[in-house]
Amino acid sequence: MRSDVIKKGLERAPHRSLLWSLGRTNEEMDRPFVGIISSYNDIVPGHMNLSQLNAAVREGVFMAGGTPFEANTIAVCDGIAMGHQGMKYSLASRELIADSVETVVQAHAFDAIVLVSACDKITPGMVMAMARLDIPAIIVTGGPMLAGRRGGETLDLNSAFMAVGAATKGQISAREVEIIEKACCPGCGSCAGMFTANTMACLCEALGIALPGNGTTPAVSSRRIALARQTGMAVMTLLERNIRPSDILTADAFHNAFSTDMAMGGSTNSVLHLLAIAHEAGVAIDLPDLNHFSANTPHLCKLSPASEQHIEDLHYSGGIGAIMHELDDLGLLKRNCITVTGQTVGENLTPESRWAPDYATVSRNVVRSGDQPYSATGGLSILFGNLAPEGAVVKSAAVAPSMMQHTGPARVFDSEEAATRAIIDMSFDEGDVIVIRYEGPKGGPGMREMLTPTSLLSGMGLDGKVALITDGRFSGASRGAAIGHLSPEAAARGPIAALRDGDLISIDIPNRSLRVALSDKEIAARIATLPPFEPTVARGYLRRYARLVTSASTGAVFEE
């Protein structure tokens, strides 16, 4: 066992003395050491229940013959960080989380690990560390929040952001905003739509690194506690059989993840994170390849922000297993991928499997059949053209039909704050393409999410009349013609840096195109007049981050 290096042999007496000080017994010292790395805290709603899950995981590990040890890492709440300088730290925290998990696991020589996570950057950061460490490992997330209610209307976090836009336009009162903000997030869990946190929790299932049910079992359900206990037990089976992340995180597993992502209309941020996880796993994925998945995968499930349905509706309609079952029937899954159940994807989906969803509960109002999809193509699209030579990402499932193809004049802003002020002041025209630049991985730095401007537009009823493009990111809660991740970014002197007010931008989502009516020569001439880019922060982690981070098209990972 790996842990023998800290507990076996005469020379390890000092190490053992410290372990004895923890109150461990002889029997516990003889067992495998299992690290439980959690992001529990009481500032992020998706994490406030993780201490309960940590305890259940401990019980599961102990029941199955392991000795559990807990440690923690950090977490940022994107909703609380949104719209101010705090959001610069959100994506940047992913690398800190991966490094901190690697550090504590290697320093203490755990034999296996269980990762207990929730929310947008924390889950992918932990999975990146899982791939890097390559010891038996499994993840369990905190679960989705239930939707809020206001009479017969369902609400989620995006409802509060949109309420601000509606109030700004005088459509609702300040009192109504207060009612919505107190009702839309009713308790613990990751915000209730198919936003980034829940997208990544669901994709952990599709990748095979979390137990079935992980993505959709509500945070407040007793089944979430049982799932955590089962996760603790399952890691001991992985250790016994020496099933490692490198056995699970294969090219075929990423095939399944991208196929599931397209079918469920996941967050655009999933592209960024899956690329980063694949990088750590040594799996080569080119961004243009993703349009193959989009073109060949039907869109089967439409949840908030693309509809009024929420994650709980998917849970009670078979969950991610129901979506994967439909994909399997269409021949779109790699069935032989091993998963943390110890079985293959195909075996997990058979009706006889303990892990199979209850197929009798599947509602076709929530999970469409393969022959009656919402659309024949997937919910995400990668756009290319002279404005995004290395690609841009859009959640096409949440774009109004009228904006799938659109040409309009650019209205250019060099920060999210400047764009937000202009939107509040209605300092733009219908048909404009609002451009927010210098918000990319280097330029922000940190590639902030743009939920504030997109939700303002949605709340004003303009998300079908105005497009928005950025080298930053959008929240999974964003909807409308919101195109992000433009690469190369403005700070790297990509074509977006050359844009001026009035330049005609053409968006063609069906044909995966994003172009500006400028010649390559004119773009190059404009960029040549720009001064060298300097990071906007003078010290600290963000300064180092800006110097090390790579393009969004490669997952915004650090340079090797």
Side-chain angles (χ1 to χ4, degrees):
M1 291 188 290
R2 272 171 46 101
S3 59
D4 286 350
V5 74
I6 62 169
K7 64 182 182 181
K8 291 290 180 71
L10 176 64
E11 70 278 13
R12 296 308 184 217
H15 305 66
R16 289 193 297 274
S17 69
L18 294 168
L19 293 168
W20 296 129
S21 76
L22 299 172
R24 296 300 179 178
T25 64
N26 287 331
E27 291 79 7
E28 288 173 297
M29 292 284 274
D30 289 338
R31 293 177 167 197
F33 283 6
V34 179
I36 301 170
I37 317 301
S38 171
S39 50
Y40 165 73
N41 60 77
D42 64 1
I43 182 62
V44 185
H47 297 235
M48 61 190 289
N49 65 323
L50 294 191
S51 60
Q52 187 178 32
L53 299 188
N54 294 345
V57 170
R58 287 182 71 99
E59 292 167 2
V61 168
F62 204 80
M63 287 165 60
T67 298
F69 295 88
E70 285 186 53
N72 277 73
T73 187
I74 62 168
V76 170
C77 178
D78 281 17
I80 296 173
M82 193 74 65
H84 60 89
Q85 293 301 303
M87 180 50 73
K88 293 178 182 288
Y89 286 89
S90 174
L91 180 61
S93 73
R94 188 188 69 183
E95 315 308 310
L96 287 175
I97 290 161
D99 288 349
S100 66
V101 173
E102 175 194 358
T103 299
V104 73
V105 171
Q106 295 288 52
H108 300 99
F110 293 128
D111 297 298
I113 51 172
V114 180
L115 305 174
V116 186
S117 172
C119 296
D120 301 45
K121 310 309 159 306
I122 300 89
T123 296
M126 286 194 174
V127 178
M128 288 166 67
M130 175 194 292
R132 190 185 299 172
L133 290 161
D134 201 31
I135 62 174
I138 188 171
I139 189 167
V140 60
T141 58
M145 185 184 292
L146 296 179
R149 301 277 175 175
R150 185 189 181 201
E153 179 186 8
T154 57
L155 306 171
D156 55 41
L157 175 66
N158 200 32
S159 305
F161 278 95
M162 291 179 62
V164 175
T168 299
K169 208 171 180 183
Q171 296 172 340
I172 63 173
S173 67
R175 172 60 179 155
E176 287 177 288
V177 173
E178 182 183 4
I179 291 170
I180 291 169
E181 73 180 65
K182 289 182 177 178
C184 65
C185 295
C188 66
S190 301
C191 299
M194 189 57 82
F195 311 150
T196 306
N198 289 321
T199 295
M200 293 311 301
C202 291
L203 292 180
C204 285
E205 273 193 61
L207 283 167
I209 55 174
L211 292 178
N214 180 75
T216 61
T217 304
V220 296
S221 169
S222 63
R223 302 318 303 159
R224 176 60 62 174
I225 299 171
L227 184 71
R229 193 172 290 113
Q230 289 173 315
T231 298
M233 297 171 69
V235 78
M236 298 307 296
T237 301
L238 296 176
L239 180 59
E240 179 184 350
R241 294 178 55 183
N242 195 30
I243 297 174
R244 298 169 179 260
S246 56
D247 300 312
I248 298 173
L249 293 172
T250 63
D252 283 350
F254 283 96
H255 171 105
N256 290 342
F258 281 118
S259 296
T260 303
D261 201 8
M262 297 299 173
M264 70 185 190
S267 164
T268 54
N269 288 317
S270 63
V271 175
L272 196 72
H273 298 317
L274 286 174
L275 289 174
I277 295 166
H279 173 78
E280 294 289 353
V283 176
I285 295 173
D286 292 325
L287 195 59
D289 294 343
L290 303 194
N291 278 331
H292 166 80
F293 293 102
S294 182
N296 292 282
T297 308
H299 184 204
L300 303 178
C301 183
K302 187 176 283 192
L303 305 181
S304 177
S307 80
E308 298 305 312
Q309 298 183 94
H310 293 82
I311 297 291
E312 65 202 71
D313 298 299
L314 176 57
H315 175 67
Y316 293 115
S317 189
I320 293 303
I323 295 175
M324 294 182 72
H325 177 70
E326 294 297 328
L327 294 175
D328 189 37
D329 281 352
L330 295 170
L332 296 177
L333 286 188
K334 303 293 186 181
R335 306 186 83 249
N336 292 326
C337 293
I338 193 69
T339 73
V340 291
T341 67
Q343 298 178 318
T344 65
V345 168
E347 290 169 336
N348 289 340
L349 294 174
T350 59
E352 299 76 24
S353 171
R354 64 177 292 201
W355 302 110
D358 182 358
Y359 294 117
T361 67
V362 177
S363 166
R364 292 307 181 197
N365 292 326
V366 180
V367 180
R368 295 280 184 92
S369 63
D371 56 1
Q372 291 186 315
Y374 283 104
S375 65
T377 57
L380 295 174
S381 299
I382 313 299
L383 311 184
F384 294 92
N386 70 342
L387 194 48
E390 295 178 5
V393 185
V394 62
K395 189 170 186 173
S396 45
V399 178
S402 60
M403 295 298 290
M404 294 295 282
Q405 292 176 307
H406 175 74
T407 298
R411 183 80 169 85
V412 183
F413 302 94
D414 286 346
S415 70
E416 178 188 2
E417 288 83 358
T420 299
R421 286 193 298 272
I423 291 170
I424 291 173
D425 294 340
M426 294 292 291
S427 181
F428 61 92
D429 297 318
E430 290 186 11
D432 280 357
V433 178
I434 295 173
V435 177
I436 306 177
R437 63 187 179 189
Y438 294 102
E439 291 286 5
K442 288 184 180 294
M447 205 180 180
R448 286 192 287 180
E449 290 183 346
M450 306 290 172
L451 183 55
T452 298
T454 58
S455 58
L456 282 170
L457 292 171
S458 295
M460 293 173 174
L462 296 172
D463 52 328
K465 299 173 183 177
V466 176
L468 197 157
I469 68 173
T470 181
D471 53 7
R473 299 179 296 125
F474 293 112
S475 163
S478 294
R479 68 186 194 187
I483 302 168
H485 305 203
L486 265 73
S487 300
E489 62 176 296
R493 295 301 178 242
I496 189 174
L499 292 179
R500 297 173 182 169
D501 284 348
D503 289 339
L504 282 180
I505 295 174
S506 294
I507 299 165
D508 188 345
I509 294 173
N511 292 302
R512 312 293 194 262
S513 175
L514 181 63
R515 300 190 61 83
V516 60
L518 296 173
S519 67
D520 292 345
K521 183 177 180 180
E522 175 63 16
I523 291 172
R526 291 186 184 183
I527 289 175
T529 65
L530 299 175
F533 175 77
E534 282 293 324
T536 56
V537 289
R539 63 173 67 183
Y541 175 57
L542 286 181
R543 179 77 175 186
R544 299 196 300 276
Y545 181 86
R547 287 175 171 169
L548 292 172
V549 71
T550 61
S551 169
S553 63
T554 58
V557 297
F558 279 174
E559 293 178 355
E560 294 293 340

